Amino acid sequence: MSLAARLRHYTNRLVRALHPSRIPPPLQSASQPRRRRERSRAAAMADPDTEVQADFFPMVRQYRSGRVERFMNMPPLPAGTDPATGVVSKDVVLDPGTGLWARLFLPPGTPEGKKKLPVLVYYHGGAYVVGSAADPFTHNYLNALVAESGVLAVAPEYRLAPEHPLPAAYDDSWDALKWVASHASSAAGPEPWLAEHGDFSRVFIAGASAGGTIAHVVAARAGGEHGGVLGTMRVRGLLIVHPYFSGAADIGDEGAAGKERKARADAFWRFLYPGSPGLDDLLSNPFSEAAGGSAARVAAERVLVCVAEKDELRDRGVWYYESLKGSGYPGEVELLESVGEGHVFYCINPRCDKAREMQERVLSFLRN
């Protein structure tokens, strides 16, 4: 299977998994003899490593033993020089204690110590249970974006649920942003690429799918009471692409899918974040009245929200855009809708017209 076909297959499964009520649970066939079903069930109950405790196929399944089975992880790509774009990447450990690391991307032909570049902090997607800074989606997208925009990109690798339940992914992502900011106040920061080339008056925070939700959360933290730790770093823009937001109340066409869909979405969120109050948690619903949410404080001068017409997360993205505009946020908020396209389509077919349209809008956003 070609890389493009694998990416398309991965994305289709991701979209279905983000709406698990549309996926029938992998139960045994009703036509299977009853005795055989009972023997299988008894054997599973006797073995905690085969007894399913939580099933969110086609993304993740957890067994009573604690073993986790992932179905959508793609083989990682190594860092190095990309032959198509000339972009150079490398992996850097941010926190040896937690194993937190990031992949950095430097544009081709960057003269040593002589050129300051905007810094893009980009969070990958994967519904908090799959994905990586090194997966083909993130790696290839950032190679192309860095080559065209001339930014220095930092893609943090956060810990995944359920082994590391939320809010671990958010905390890791926040720590990564603080690590980037630590270079703003010292020319002798721990990472030479950032210390020599980072322009910390032009920092952008970005993410796609669950990474878009993370990008919002860290930008809100930066604009709130924790923002002082970022020092002199200036966040010029927040880029949120096909975000994975939710909420207890239906918006748009969500109600048409019935109550089961919402119940399954709530069950998945509680699987990710045991002890959470549910879909109106601020980490899922940034405008939750029950949690006292307000996104007006996001630390960014401008916000660009990208949605896709055929993405089942589209209405939530538009809702975020409209809610942010009406929240008292003082900056400029823009919306780009890709007509006729689905979730993260630009990673599957980066040369299609709508992908180029989106790329040009993002490039303009990063350059202004």
Side-chain angles (χ1 to χ4, degrees), residues 71-136:
F71 304 95
M72 300 177 63
N73 268 350
M74 301 187 70
L77 296 179
T81 301
D82 179 50
T85 62
V87 170
V88 181
S89 59
K90 68 176 178 178
D91 297 334
V92 178
V93 175
L94 279 56
D95 185 347
T98 62
L100 179 64
W101 62 275
R103 178 161 292 185
L104 276 61
F105 297 77
L106 194 66
T110 304
E112 185 174 351
K114 294 182 180 179
K115 187 176 182 181
K116 295 294 184 181
L117 306 172
V119 178
L120 173 71
V121 183
Y122 182 90
Y123 299 103
H124 70 81
Y128 310 101
V129 294
V130 296
S132 168
D135 69 34

Side-chain angles (χ1 to χ4, degrees), residues 22-59:
R22 296 178 179 238
I23 309 297
L27 299 176
Q28 303 208 14
S29 169
S31 62
Q32 187 178 25
R34 181 176 178 180
R35 288 183 179 177
R36 183 179 173 188
R37 294 201 306 270
E38 290 176 349
R39 285 197 301 268
S40 298
R41 187 179 300 112
M45 291 181 68
D47 184 356
D49 201 43
T50 60
E51 182 184 352
V52 175
Q53 178 171 289
D55 196 342
F56 294 98
F57 185 83
M59 184 167 287

Side-chain angles (χ1 to χ4, degrees), residues 80-89 104-110 115 117-118 120 138-154 193 351 356 359-360 362-364 366-367:
T81 301
D82 179 50
T85 62
V87 170
V88 181
S89 59
L104 276 61
F105 297 77
L106 194 66
T110 304
K115 187 176 182 181
L117 306 172
L120 173 71
T138 304
H139 183 82
N140 291 333
Y141 174 68
L142 288 178
N143 274 331
L145 184 62
V146 167
E148 289 197 74
S149 65
V151 303
L152 192 169
V154 180
W193 282 10
R351 292 193 173 94
R356 282 308 314 171
Q359 182 81 332
E360 290 301 323
V362 170
L363 291 173
S364 176
L366 295 176
R367 289 167 179 162

Side-chain angles (χ1 to χ4, degrees), residues 31 69 123 130 171 207 236 246 295 316 337:
S31 62
E69 187 176 11
Y123 299 103
V130 296
D171 293 340
R236 295 288 295 272
S246 192
R316 283 285 165 182
E337 179 167 6

Side-chain angles (χ1 to χ4, degrees), residues 135-361:
D135 69 34
F137 273 157
T138 304
H139 183 82
N140 291 333
Y141 174 68
L142 288 178
N143 274 331
L145 184 62
V146 167
E148 289 197 74
S149 65
V151 303
L152 192 169
V154 180
E157 180 81 346
Y158 51 84
R159 289 171 293 172
L160 299 177
E163 297 93 335
H164 304 282
L166 296 179
Y170 295 98
D171 293 340
D172 288 350
S173 299
W174 174 243
D175 287 344
L177 186 65
K178 290 192 295 181
W179 178 84
V180 171
S182 71
H183 296 77
S185 56
S186 173
E191 171 45 48
W193 282 10
L194 282 167
E196 295 174 10
H197 299 297
D199 182 349
F200 296 96
S201 68
R202 293 186 293 164
V203 174
F204 295 84
I205 300 173
S209 195
T213 312
I214 290 173
H216 160 77
V217 170
V218 298
R221 286 188 187 180
E225 58 184 275
H226 305 289
V229 300
L230 300 186
T232 60
M233 190 174 81
R234 180 182 174 190
V235 181
R236 295 288 295 272
L238 173 63
L239 172 63
I240 294 183
V241 180
H242 305 176
Y244 179 30
F245 293 122
S246 192
D250 290 332
I251 65 168
D253 293 332
E254 288 182 351
K259 294 181 179 180
E260 182 184 356
R261 171 180 168 180
K262 187 70 71 173
R264 289 280 291 172
D266 184 77
F268 183 57
W269 178 257
R270 294 176 190 274
F271 168 76
L272 299 171
Y273 193 175
S276 167
L279 294 177
D280 277 338
D281 190 303
L282 278 175
L283 298 182
S284 175
N285 180 351
F287 294 96
S288 169
E289 294 183 6
S294 172
R297 65 180 184 270
V298 293
E301 298 173 12
R302 296 176 295 130
V303 179
L304 173 60
V305 182
C306 297
V307 300
E309 181 190 22
K310 293 185 178 180
D311 182 2
E312 293 189 14
L313 298 173
R314 180 257 180 203
D315 288 350
R316 283 285 165 182
V318 174
W319 159 85
Y320 175 80
Y321 160 76
E322 294 174 344
S323 298
L324 184 60
K325 285 190 67 175
S327 71
Y329 167 68
E332 179 182 354
V333 189
E334 308 171 45
L335 178 70
L336 171 66
E337 179 167 6
S338 299
V339 177
E341 301 292 349
H343 194 64
V344 294
F345 71 93
Y346 58 92
C347 291
I348 304 167
N349 189 5
R351 292 193 173 94
C352 72
D353 290 344
K354 291 300 179 180
R356 282 308 314 171
E357 177 186 66
M358 178 179 161
Q359 182 81 332
E360 290 301 323
R361 186 71 171 272

